[in-house]
Amino acid sequence: MATISKMCQPGFLHLQLSAVDSAPAFIKKIKHHRDELKVDIYSKYPSGYEVNAAQNLLGVYTLVLPDLDDQIEARTHFEDMHKNMPESLNTLAHLCQVYKDMHRNKEEMKFAEMLDILLQENSDSSQLRKARCLAEQGYAIAFEIHAKDNASNARRYKKAVGFFKRALTLGQKLEPSTKLSPMTDDEQMVWKHYLAMTYNRLDNIQKEIPIPTEDRFETYNTGLLLFCEVICFFNNIRSQGYEWAKVYESRSWANLGHMLTRNEKFLAHEKYCLPDCLNQNIFQKVRDNPFVAFEIAIKVDDTNFMAYSRAGCAYNRANYADYEKALKMLNRSIELKPTSNWLAYSARMNAYLFLYEKQLKQFSNQDSVKPPDRVLLNKAAEDGKHCHSNDSSVINLTRMGRIFYLLGVDPQSNEVIDEGNLHNAVDYLKVALRRPGGFESASTHSCLASCLWKLQKFKGALAHLLKAVECASANDDDAKLLIKYLFESYTKLGTSSDDGVPESYSMFILNVCYKELRSDEFQSELKPFTQNYANELFLICDFGLKSKCAEYVSVIEIITAVPFQTKQDLQRVSDILQQIAEMRQTTTEYNSIPSSIPAYIENLVTYPQLPKGPSKASLDSSVDYDVYVSYSSNDCDWVTRILRSHLEDPEPGRIKFKTCLPDRDFQLGKSIFKSRVHSIEKSCHVLLILTPEYVSDKLCQYEIDQALTKPRDSIIPLLLHKCKLPKTISQLAALDFTSGPPYDWDRLRKHLQMNYL
């Protein structure tokens, strides 16, 4: 009882669990969701059980808006709800918060007392009231506005699952007087339907989080089991004449099909077993062909727009790739619900884009004399605008960038025909890079590189192409194309210093291309690559000899991997080797390059890696770490994936820093406070990742206090998100990362290297 009371205390506002801010884009999104909910609030919930939950959510959306008119509207909304349902615990809690914000203490105390009386009551009706309160909160947490990162959404869905489970436990508990469950079977099944949807969403998110596949089995199977249970129940009562039940049955069939089609590789895992419920007669066809689930969903309720959109998304996937069927389903979904149907618009945008690129490929390969239909691109762009306000994910933003890039380039000549569209593409792609996970997206960097190249911003194009190669998997065909395009792009710029191409880019290009082409996956590519780009490789060698840069000259190893047929090429190789031999007599820089290099791949010597300087932690026994990273748990994902990789797994030629991350490096069972004190003391530097969550975290403040016991030049404040700095460090110069990627990693490394021996 105490736990329920705590969760229902005045001031409960579930949106505080997500990132509420005053940014215009967020305010616009809140208003959009509020207006959508106003329209759908009765048509979307035919049983009526979840209407109160949706009404509370609608009131909260209004309450968090900044205008006074919105505050008054929220108060009126909750007061009207209270008149209709005077014993709704969540409504009373929200009224307490409204009056507290308005500094109307008398009204706040009035509703607080009413809430307290209801919470203290221990009758049969109180059990149902508390169960509904928990279910409504579970609904609100699961179906509010999404957070920006997958890890936060996963935590939110897990919390919602907990609320739903506790609500159902209370709702099924027998009342002492009647020996009956306070919650009817159909109400229980409605909440189980939403619990299943939450499991579905959680599993979909967990695909994007680096967790072992086996850890998803329970979440996935629980969702399947719940959907099967809900389908059987509502199918039964629909046959008894309860027409409203078809909505929940149809939705459950569509979600079941969505889960089964979404995880084809997952289902093939050797340790995975489908739940036994799919062996029942009603589900056997679905088990063998998941698309049957969509057919049944549409047959049960042919006005279910979600069933059509789910089917369209499934046909869109690479496993099935039937874009004509996808368009048929998605068109029907949008016809049924032309507004606030972002999933269908997003999927249809992808289908149009794929069909255009398929036609473009056929035209480029001369398999077709007909140019690709640019109407498809215009339709894709229009659909993208419809879904952008609701789904501004990295994938969708990258697709929009690709669409505008294609609109800006002529498919026949490949020349720029509309710079405005190219600039639009750049805008979308830069926003995508700022999204969580966007900076690690090879396709986003690659598309942005193409746009910048067409706009003749060669340095920027080269930088993003390098990042695309770095992010791409060596086993992907795209990676091979990227590496070839990388070398091609670099040689278009030329190798003379007049081009202003940063030397670090040149070094990285050589290292990446040579390392990748020497790997097993690229052995078949090495000979044609060397033959195709021999002239460019010779140019790099010549530049290296003129600038006395050994790394450039080392590309001779690639050139001699193939026995050249022309006397001219053989003479050029001979001249380079002779110059290397002469330089050996005056400098030791070229000693790592052999004077005679075998002509065949199997006898190639190892490419000399760029030198990596030692860090202080590797030289000084009194220091355990080069840098201790102090951060809030909210920023753990950015620290472990992005910051860590740049410090611990740097590019060739960079120093590898020994980093202390509390979540990873602290010894289990030891005091977290003592561990922090010891690690900070034994670290050369302390890096403070400053965000609004960090400055309000007491544990982070403790780490700042410990850091201040060290010399001031060993403390590095890094401003990741704009926030008010604590007074104790406000006078220290901070590294500003608030503008998003690309970040100034060189400045951070330079400071970390200051104390090296």
Side-chain angles (χ1 to χ4, degrees):
M1 192 70 68
T3 305
I4 296 170
S5 175
K6 183 178 180 181
M7 284 186 290
C8 300
Q9 277 184 1
F12 170 75
L13 283 173
H14 68 269
L15 274 185
Q16 290 179 347
L17 301 178
S18 294
V20 177
D21 60 45
S22 57
F26 183 84
I27 299 301
K28 182 180 178 182
K29 196 169 187 178
I30 286 280
K31 288 182 177 179
H32 177 83
H33 279 259
R34 180 191 62 176
D35 296 343
E36 180 183 339
L37 195 53
K38 280 181 180 179
V39 173
D40 292 344
I41 203 157
Y42 290 106
S43 61
K44 193 174 179 180
Y45 311 111
S47 73
Y49 293 120
E50 63 272 58
V51 168
N52 201 57
Q55 288 278 19
N56 269 298
L57 185 54
L58 177 60
V60 173
Y61 281 155
T62 307
L63 185 59
V64 298
L65 294 173
D67 294 341
L68 178 60
D69 290 344
D70 294 314
Q71 307 293 309
I72 294 171
E73 183 183 339
R75 174 178 61 79
T76 305
H77 176 82
F78 285 125
E79 285 177 343
D80 291 342
M81 285 186 66
H82 176 62
K83 289 176 185 177
N84 295 327
M85 296 191 70
E87 295 187 348
S88 168
L89 300 180
N90 282 321
T91 304
L92 287 170
H94 286 129
L95 278 169
C96 291
Q97 181 66 37
V98 168
Y99 285 116
K100 181 180 179 181
D101 291 345
M102 299 176 77
H103 304 290
R104 292 171 59 172
N105 297 335
K106 186 176 179 180
E107 287 88 347
E108 180 191 351
M109 292 304 298
K110 170 189 168 183
F111 288 107
E113 288 174 8
M114 293 171 63
L115 180 61
D116 192 53
I117 290 169
L118 290 174
L119 287 170
Q120 297 301 324
E121 187 179 318
N122 193 18
S123 63
D124 293 348
S125 59
S126 71
Q127 189 169 311
L128 176 59
R129 191 162 52 233
K130 290 165 186 173
R132 283 179 175 168
C133 171
L134 294 173
E136 289 169 7
Q137 291 184 12
Y139 176 92
I141 294 168
F143 297 100
E144 61 147 309
I145 292 176
H146 287 198
K148 291 182 179 180
D149 62 288
N150 290 328
S152 297
N153 282 320
R155 287 193 295 270
R156 185 160 59 85
Y157 290 138
K158 287 177 181 178
K159 190 165 189 173
V161 165
F163 274 95
F164 279 128
K165 283 184 172 180
R166 280 176 280 180
L168 289 166
T169 300
L170 266 180
Q172 293 166 352
K173 187 177 179 182
L174 299 180
E175 295 176 343
S177 58
T178 62
K179 303 300 180 185
L180 297 173
S181 299
M183 193 178 279
T184 60
D185 290 345
D186 52 344
E187 182 174 1
Q188 288 181 41
M189 285 299 164
V190 168
W191 294 123
K192 281 189 177 183
H193 167 73
Y194 289 108
L195 175 58
M197 288 181 67
T198 307
Y199 272 114
N200 185 7
R201 290 185 172 202
L202 176 59
D203 176 67
N204 200 28
I205 288 291
Q206 285 180 334
K207 285 199 310 177
E208 310 301 325
I209 300 175
I211 62 172
T213 304
E214 294 89 334
D215 292 354
R216 290 177 47 211
F217 290 171
E218 183 179 354
T219 301
Y220 184 76
N221 274 5
T222 304
L224 292 179
L225 284 165
L226 284 166
F227 278 128
C228 289
E229 184 181 357
V230 171
I231 287 169
C232 291
F233 178 84
F234 285 115
N235 177 265
N236 182 46
I237 68 169
R238 182 170 62 89
S239 65
Q240 298 173 23
Y242 293 90
E243 191 64 18
W244 60 269
K246 72 178 184 180
V247 174
Y248 298 97
E249 183 186 352
S250 177
R251 288 178 186 169
S252 296
W253 276 116
N255 277 290
L256 184 66
H258 174 239
M259 291 188 76
L260 291 171
T261 54
R262 187 183 69 218
N263 289 288
E264 188 174 85
K265 292 181 180 178
F266 178 92
L267 298 177
H269 196 281
E270 59 182 7
K271 294 182 180 179
Y272 176 73
C273 295
L274 278 168
D276 292 337
C277 65
L278 290 176
N279 294 323
Q280 298 176 23
N281 290 336
I282 191 173
F283 299 114
Q284 279 183 351
K285 289 183 179 179
V286 173
R287 183 194 60 196
D288 299 332
N289 180 9
F291 284 89
V292 172
F294 299 120
E295 295 172 7
I296 298 174
I298 293 167
K299 185 177 180 181
V300 170
D301 182 7
D302 62 0
T303 64
N304 182 1
F305 74 93
M306 188 190 74
Y308 290 102
S309 61
R310 291 291 192 198
C313 288
Y315 282 120
N316 247 351
R317 293 194 186 100
N319 305 14
Y320 309 103
D322 191 333
Y323 289 89
E324 298 296 341
K325 283 187 179 179
L327 283 174
K328 182 179 178 181
M329 291 291 175
L330 296 167
N331 287 339
R332 177 58 177 158
S333 177
I334 292 169
E335 181 185 334
L336 289 168
K337 189 173 174 60
T339 59
S340 303
N341 192 359
W342 64 267
L343 180 65
Y345 280 113
S346 175
R348 193 169 72 173
M349 171 183 68
N350 184 48
Y352 283 139
L353 177 59
F354 173 85
L355 289 173
Y356 179 86
E357 292 193 311
K358 182 180 178 181
Q359 292 178 8
L360 179 63
K361 186 176 181 181
Q362 291 171 343
F363 181 69
S364 301
N365 294 340
Q366 298 183 342
D367 295 333
S368 171
V369 294
K370 184 180 179 182
D373 185 1
R374 293 175 70 81
V375 173
L376 292 170
L377 285 180
N378 290 318
K379 288 181 177 180
E382 195 62 33
D383 283 350
K385 292 173 184 176
H386 276 285
C387 68
H388 179 59
S389 60
N390 279 282
D391 183 14
S392 54
S393 62
V394 174
I395 293 174
N396 265 3
L397 289 167
T398 302
R399 284 174 184 159
M400 285 295 284
R402 178 67 178 162
I403 290 164
F404 279 106
Y405 168 77
L406 293 169
L407 283 170
V409 177
D410 183 78
Q412 290 180 288
S413 64
N414 202 29
E415 297 296 325
V416 176
I417 57 174
D418 189 338
E419 278 197 13
N421 278 324
L422 289 178
H423 286 294
N424 290 338
V426 169
D427 291 340
Y428 275 107
L429 293 164
K430 285 188 174 180
V431 173
L433 291 178
R434 292 196 292 270
R435 290 285 187 271
F439 200 63
E440 287 72 48
S441 170
S443 57
T444 307
H445 283 288
S446 176
C447 189
L448 183 53
S450 299
C451 295
L452 294 173
W453 194 270
K454 291 296 182 185
L455 293 169
Q456 298 189 2
K457 297 180 179 180
F458 301 122
K459 290 183 185 178
L462 195 57
H464 285 287
L465 193 56
L466 286 168
K467 187 63 182 177
V469 173
E470 184 182 332
C471 295
S473 168
N475 294 318
D476 291 343
D477 290 336
D478 288 345
K480 297 180 182 180
L481 294 173
L482 279 171
I483 289 170
K484 290 183 178 181
Y485 182 33
L486 177 61
F487 227 112
E488 199 173 60
S489 302
Y490 175 69
T491 52
K492 280 182 182 178
L493 284 179
T495 54
S496 70
S497 58
D498 294 335
D499 296 310
V501 180
E503 185 177 305
S504 58
Y505 290 173
S506 306
M507 297 290 192
F508 189 60
I509 290 170
L510 293 178
N511 235 7
V512 168
C513 289
Y514 189 74
K515 182 176 69 175
E516 297 295 348
L517 287 168
R518 284 290 310 279
S519 64
D520 293 339
E521 293 84 359
F522 287 96
Q523 281 299 306
S524 60
E525 304 286 330
L526 183 54
K527 183 173 180 178
F529 179 87
T530 308
Q531 290 174 330
N532 290 338
Y533 297 104
N535 191 56
E536 288 81 3
L537 294 168
F538 279 126
L539 286 173
I540 293 174
C541 278
D542 290 339
F543 176 63
L545 290 167
K546 291 175 184 176
S547 61
K548 297 184 179 180
C549 180
E551 282 75 25
Y552 287 124
V553 182
S554 298
V555 80
I556 190 67
E557 293 180 22
I558 306 178
I559 298 173
T560 56
V562 176
F564 291 104
Q565 302 299 316
T566 67
K567 289 183 179 180
Q568 182 184 4
D569 286 337
L570 290 171
Q571 184 61 49
R572 293 179 77 175
V573 173
S574 177
D575 290 344
I576 290 172
L577 292 175
Q578 185 176 349
Q579 290 183 62
I580 292 173
E582 292 173 358
M583 288 181 176
R584 283 169 178 273
Q585 299 174 7
T586 58
T587 179
T588 59
E589 287 185 52
Y590 296 92
N591 287 346
S592 60
I593 305 173
S595 58
S596 177
I597 303 177
Y600 298 98
I601 298 172
E602 56 266 29
N603 295 321
L604 281 175
V605 297
T606 304
Y607 177 69
Q609 294 294 313
L610 300 175
K612 293 183 180 180
S615 70
K616 184 164 185 178
S618 65
L619 296 172
D620 189 348
S621 59
S622 66
V623 177
D624 290 345
Y625 302 99
D626 294 304
V627 58
Y628 176 96
V629 185
S630 172
Y631 56 93
S632 160
S633 58
N634 286 43
D635 305 308
C636 183
D637 187 54
W638 185 86
V639 169
T640 54
R641 291 191 305 107
I642 298 176
L643 177 69
R644 185 207 61 77
S645 64
H646 280 275
L647 296 182
E648 295 185 350
D649 301 310
E651 300 168 3
R654 302 283 193 182
I655 290 176
K656 182 175 182 180
F657 298 102
K658 191 173 182 183
T659 309
C660 180
L661 304 179
D663 291 325
R664 180 192 67 182
D665 297 322
F666 281 3
Q667 188 172 336
L668 299 178
K670 280 197 171 185
S671 164
I672 58 172
F673 294 97
K674 289 183 179 179
S675 296
R676 278 170 165 76
V677 171
H678 177 78
S679 298
I680 289 173
E681 183 183 333
K682 290 288 188 178
S683 296
C684 219
H685 295 87
V686 180
L687 182 61
L688 312 176
I689 310 300
L690 300 170
T691 62
E693 294 79 15
Y694 181 94
V695 297
S696 62
D697 190 319
K698 291 183 179 179
L699 193 56
C700 295
Q701 182 59 52
Y702 178 79
E703 291 184 324
I704 292 176
D705 293 339
Q706 294 304 312
L708 290 170
T709 63
K710 301 173 71 67
R712 291 296 186 268
D713 63 352
S714 67
I715 303 172
I716 309 172
L718 188 156
L719 197 61
L720 184 59
H721 300 303
K722 290 184 179 179
C723 60
K724 186 176 181 181
L725 299 183
K727 290 183 180 179
T728 51
I729 59 170
S730 60
Q731 300 303 314
L732 299 179
L735 189 59
D736 191 353
F737 275 22
T738 57
S739 59
Y743 299 115
D744 192 358
W745 297 112
D746 286 341
R747 189 180 175 194
L748 175 59
R749 291 191 189 97
K750 183 178 179 181
H751 191 88
L752 291 174
Q753 290 173 222
M754 283 173 58
N755 293 335
Y756 286 1
L757 298 176

